[in-house]
Amino acid sequence: MNQPEALDSDIRALQQWLRAAWQQLGDPALTAFARRELRNQMKQCSVDLRACLQRAAEQPSEPARPPLPAHSRPELRILSW
């Protein structure tokens, strides 16, 4: 897995965790202490997600190559032993 794929995977995982945490936060059986701890974890996760998104935005995109015309000649290489 290369760097952009790993970063993309991290972003997806953090988003899923936050989504599940929001659902869990709505549970009326959650104690006040557990709710406070969950909110603290959500804040930290949000900070981590912002950092990952910032790194993703700063990564240089792949240079766009102009498409080769259909009638162009292929590059030939001479291989020798």
Side-chain angles (χ1 to χ4, degrees):
M1 187 182 303
N2 60 16
Q3 184 68 14
E5 289 174 358
L7 190 58
D8 199 33
S9 174
D10 289 347
I11 289 171
R12 274 195 226 102
L14 288 168
Q15 288 173 334
Q16 286 177 332
W17 189 90
L18 274 172
R19 197 173 298 122
W22 274 108
Q23 290 175 350
Q24 188 179 359
L25 195 59
D27 184 9
L30 216 57
T31 64
F33 177 76
R35 187 171 281 118
R36 184 171 43 249
E37 284 300 311
L38 184 59
R39 281 196 308 260
N40 287 339
Q41 290 174 1
M42 289 171 71
K43 286 177 188 176
Q44 183 59 47
C45 187
S46 294
V47 168
D48 295 342
L49 180 59
R50 281 192 195 109
C52 286
L53 290 171
Q54 183 66 32
R55 279 187 288 167
E58 290 172 354
Q59 281 185 348
S61 61
E62 294 181 13
R65 294 187 207 165
L68 294 175
H71 56 81
S72 69
R73 296 176 68 183
E75 294 181 27
L76 298 178
R77 294 186 218 165
I78 299 175
L79 303 175
S80 64
W81 294 93

